[in-house]
Amino acid sequence: MSIDSGSTDYTTDGADEPDWEPEGGDDSGAVIAAVARQIKLWREAAGLKQVEFGTAVGYGENQIYKLEAGKRIPRPEFLDRADEVLGAGGKLSAMKKDVQEARYPKKVRDLAKLEAEAVELGAYGNVVIHGLLQTEEYARALFGLRRPAYEEDEFERLVAARMGRQEVFGLRPAPLLTFVQEEAVLRRPIGGKMVLRRQLEHLLDIAELRHVEIQVMPTEAEEHAGLGGSLQVLKLKDGTTVGHNEVQLISRLISNPKEVQILEMRYGMIRSQALRPRESLAFIEKVLGET
């Protein structure tokens, strides 16, 4: 079965979401509702009106209303400040861990969960550096290009979500992570030359990990099985394999065996047509020297 879900520009890994509100049909809603109730109870116990509480923590009355109604997800610094103002003795601050995952878009949590279950992940990207490989400043520059532009809260949420998914590199036992990036992506100065330089240096550092292989598809390659666009294939611990793909407004998780088989075949061909890992690292170093 194939599942399509809405998304927006500049993602390549399901991190792009339209707003910063709890999503329906998602257990994170219960977490946010519970935190919202606690905030309201502590405020009332302190004898503060919403406007007074908002002034004390640097928020508007409408923002406090939305937080207490579970319509907005509290940021970590808000919980710390609220804990201090309301004299909660660390009880509100302790909820930061519970709220952290709920802050991330559902598609990101779903994808991160799949990645955590993967024994092997392979990804081909032809537009931007893959999200798992991005530096924070590259991700910030990338999300900053989105039109229509994100609100500040949305922007910070998406950056945090993208960085959070990179915990996959520290999983034990370590999954095999392979990436193929187009040469043009390595040369596109998103965020400026210095941001690109640090991104290329980051790729070289990541490639030193024994369970990571990064390959480059040179522009001069005459044979190319990936002209249909970016793709991702994940082999899970239970023996199943799923695919994931995004293009413009569509994010798609692919579990149909026949379609997954096609993606596996294409990715295998892409890897065989790209530069070998050692050649690729030398190529990245060359591009770095030219940047």
Side-chain angles (χ1 to χ4, degrees):
M1 181 177 72
S2 298
I3 302 172
D4 291 346
S5 55
S7 181
T8 41
D9 310 70
Y10 305 114
T11 63
T12 76
D13 63 354
D16 203 347
E17 283 289 306
D19 52 34
W20 191 22
E21 298 178 357
E23 301 180 69
D26 180 6
D27 58 4
S28 68
V31 173
I32 299 306
V35 174
R37 283 194 298 272
Q38 287 299 311
I39 294 172
K40 184 177 181 179
L41 288 171
W42 279 101
R43 175 184 62 78
E44 292 176 340
L48 295 177
K49 295 180 179 180
Q50 289 182 331
V51 64
E52 295 171 331
F53 176 46
T55 299
V57 296
Y59 275 54
E61 182 179 3
N62 186 53
Q63 290 176 299
I64 298 300
Y65 167 78
K66 289 183 176 180
L67 283 165
E68 292 187 351
K71 296 180 179 180
R72 296 280 287 186
I73 301 175
R75 298 173 65 86
E77 55 269 29
F78 169 82
L79 290 173
D80 283 337
R81 180 60 179 154
D83 191 283
E84 179 182 347
V85 169
L86 300 176
K91 293 181 175 63
L92 290 177
S93 291
M95 294 180 176
K96 288 189 293 185
K97 184 177 181 180
D98 296 320
V99 171
Q100 183 179 13
E101 286 191 3
R103 287 184 60 219
Y104 295 166
K106 185 176 185 299
K107 286 192 293 295
V108 177
R109 295 199 306 276
D110 290 346
L111 190 56
K113 187 175 181 180
L114 283 175
E115 289 167 350
E117 289 295 316
V119 295
E120 183 177 341
L121 179 153
Y124 161 67
N126 63 350
V127 179
V128 296
I129 300 294
H130 189 276
L132 289 177
L133 299 174
Q134 291 175 13
T135 63
E136 181 172 337
E137 60 180 349
Y138 184 97
R140 286 181 174 276
L142 189 62
F143 282 124
L145 294 175
R146 194 261 199 179
R147 295 296 180 270
Y150 288 117
E151 296 293 336
E152 188 63 25
D153 284 345
E154 297 175 72
F155 181 86
E156 293 298 332
R157 174 187 179 230
L158 292 168
V159 172
R162 181 153 294 181
M163 294 299 101
R165 281 185 51 237
Q166 295 184 7
E167 293 178 0
V168 67
F169 289 104
L171 294 178
R172 294 294 181 269
L176 172 62
L177 305 172
T178 67
F179 304 88
V180 180
Q181 295 277 183
E182 282 290 334
E183 174 185 343
V185 171
L186 304 177
R187 298 184 181 278
R188 185 169 293 123
I190 292 174
K193 285 192 174 183
M194 291 309 299
V195 171
L196 178 60
R197 282 188 60 84
R198 286 187 283 269
Q199 176 63 68
L200 295 174
E201 291 170 348
H202 182 64
L203 292 181
L204 294 173
D205 290 340
I206 290 291
E208 291 182 0
L209 298 174
R210 288 196 298 272
H211 61 292
V212 177
E213 289 189 352
I214 298 175
Q215 293 177 255
V216 175
M217 177 66 79
T219 303
E220 65 181 18
E222 296 182 3
E223 297 182 334
H224 197 326
L227 297 180
S230 63
L231 63 89
Q232 185 162 284
V233 178
L234 302 97
K235 297 184 179 180
L236 308 180
K237 295 176 181 177
D238 63 4
T240 61
T241 301
V242 297
H244 179 261
N245 194 18
E246 283 196 345
V247 55
Q248 292 295 333
L249 304 181
I250 298 174
S251 175
R252 189 178 184 217
L253 180 65
I254 304 167
S255 57
N256 182 297
K258 291 183 179 180
E259 294 184 358
V260 171
Q261 188 177 52
I262 290 173
L263 291 183
E264 286 188 285
M265 177 190 69
R266 287 180 182 172
Y267 185 63
M269 293 183 68
I270 290 170
R271 291 197 69 192
S272 69
Q273 294 163 346
L275 298 177
R276 296 177 180 177
R278 184 170 296 182
E279 296 171 333
S280 295
L281 296 185
F283 191 93
I284 294 173
E285 289 177 344
K286 176 176 178 292
V287 174
L288 176 60
E290 297 171 352
T291 302

